[in-house]
Amino acid sequence: MMIRRSRSALFAATILSLPVAFSPVFVTPAAAQWVVYDPTNYVQNVLSAARALEQINNQIQSLQNEAQMLINQARNLASLPYSSLQQLQQSVQRTQALLGQAQRIAFDVQQIDQAFQSQYGNISLSTSDQRLVSDARSRWQNTVGGLQDALRVQAGVVGNIDTNRAEMAALVGQSQGATGALQATQAGNQLLALQAQQLADLVAVVAANGRARALVDAERAAAAEQGREQRRRFLTPGSGYQPGNARMFPNGN
């Protein structure tokens, strides 16, 4: 029993005699960090973030609207990439050329007045029979030429129908595919120009037919006047028959 106590005392003395470096260290734990949650502040932060996001979205939408507006303006100002002016002018020029090729009496006021004064006016009593026949033939040639000219103009106008059909189809297609107001307006203006060209052809046909009909009526009126003059000359008493010597056989007795 005494031995055990001696050992315990020796062990305790040994422990007490150890250096301080080998002594156990006891560390006091650091103070805990507390996080305080403020609901009001959190809500305000969320609302601020939402408002900022809404402003950004509004700015983006505004920029998109401005970009679309610029695109629409560019489309409205874009010119139509198709023009039928040259084709329409060529059709009008062909019709004008046919009218300019009018035979004998052209579409000219002074020339018409001169022709009617010389060939369709009152027949003078002193006009020779040969002159009467010559004037009648000239009037007939005028009438035939006028009828031929009318037929040629009609044929030219009919020839323009195919060109007009192709141009009308092209312009309608351009109008339907227009990307802006300017293109649609230009396509509409060209369609109006096509109608004007067709009206010009119609006026040319009416003028040519009217000229031919006027020449026919003028020839009839002049022929009636000439017929009266020739009948008057036939019925006017002359010097009568004067007998003379007739020789049947010039070399005979």
Side-chain angles (χ1 to χ4, degrees):
M1 188 67 179
M2 292 295 293
I3 294 173
R4 289 182 179 178
R5 291 180 178 178
S6 298
R7 288 181 179 176
S8 299
L10 179 62
F11 178 76
T14 302
I15 292 300
L16 293 174
S17 63
L18 288 175
V20 178
F22 291 96
S23 61
V25 178
F26 298 95
V27 179
T28 304
Q33 295 181 358
W34 297 92
V35 178
V36 179
Y37 173 73
D38 188 354
T40 304
N41 189 23
Y42 177 77
V43 172
Q44 291 178 353
N45 292 335
V46 171
L47 292 177
S48 298
R51 285 193 292 267
L53 181 61
E54 184 179 3
Q55 291 178 356
I56 294 175
N57 290 333
N58 292 337
Q59 292 177 356
I60 294 175
Q61 185 65 38
S62 178
L63 292 175
Q64 291 177 348
N65 294 336
E66 291 179 1
Q68 187 63 40
M69 181 180 65
L70 293 176
I71 293 174
N72 293 335
Q73 289 179 355
R75 290 178 177 177
N76 289 331
L77 296 177
S79 179
L80 189 70
Y82 181 82
S83 176
S84 62
L85 179 61
Q86 183 177 2
Q87 296 295 335
L88 298 180
Q89 287 181 339
Q90 290 177 357
S91 298
V92 173
Q93 289 173 357
R94 285 193 295 266
T95 303
Q96 286 181 332
L98 291 174
L99 293 176
Q101 295 172 4
Q103 303 175 59
R104 302 178 69 84
I105 301 177
F107 291 93
D108 182 78
V109 176
Q110 294 182 354
Q111 187 175 355
I112 292 173
D113 291 341
Q114 293 175 0
F116 269 73
Q117 289 177 2
S118 61
Q119 300 177 11
Y120 295 91
N122 294 328
I123 298 176
S124 176
L125 299 179
S126 60
T127 303
S128 63
D129 292 339
Q130 184 179 1
R131 176 64 183 276
L132 292 177
V133 174
S134 176
D135 289 344
R137 182 173 181 80
S138 180
R139 290 191 294 269
W140 174 80
Q141 291 175 347
N142 292 341
T143 301
V144 173
L147 294 173
Q148 184 180 5
D149 292 339
L151 292 176
R152 293 177 63 190
V153 172
Q154 293 173 9
V157 170
V158 171
N160 289 337
I161 292 178
D162 187 62
T163 301
N164 295 340
R165 179 191 59 78
E167 291 301 322
M168 181 176 60
L171 289 174
V172 170
Q174 291 292 329
S175 177
Q176 292 178 347
T179 59
L182 180 59
Q183 289 188 1
T185 302
Q186 290 179 340
N189 291 338
Q190 292 189 45
L191 285 172
L192 292 177
L194 176 61
Q195 293 181 358
Q197 184 269 326
Q198 293 174 336
L199 289 176
D201 280 352
L202 180 60
V203 170
V205 170
V206 172
N209 290 341
R211 173 176 175 267
R213 177 59 61 87
L215 290 174
V216 171
D217 294 339
E219 182 190 6
R220 289 177 180 175
E225 177 65 17
Q226 181 174 339
R228 285 193 294 269
E229 176 61 21
Q230 290 178 337
R231 184 172 62 253
R232 184 193 66 78
R233 293 183 182 185
F234 179 78
L235 296 177
T236 299
S239 57
Y241 173 73
Q242 301 293 333
N245 296 326
R247 298 180 63 181
M248 298 182 62
F249 302 102
N251 296 329
N253 293 327

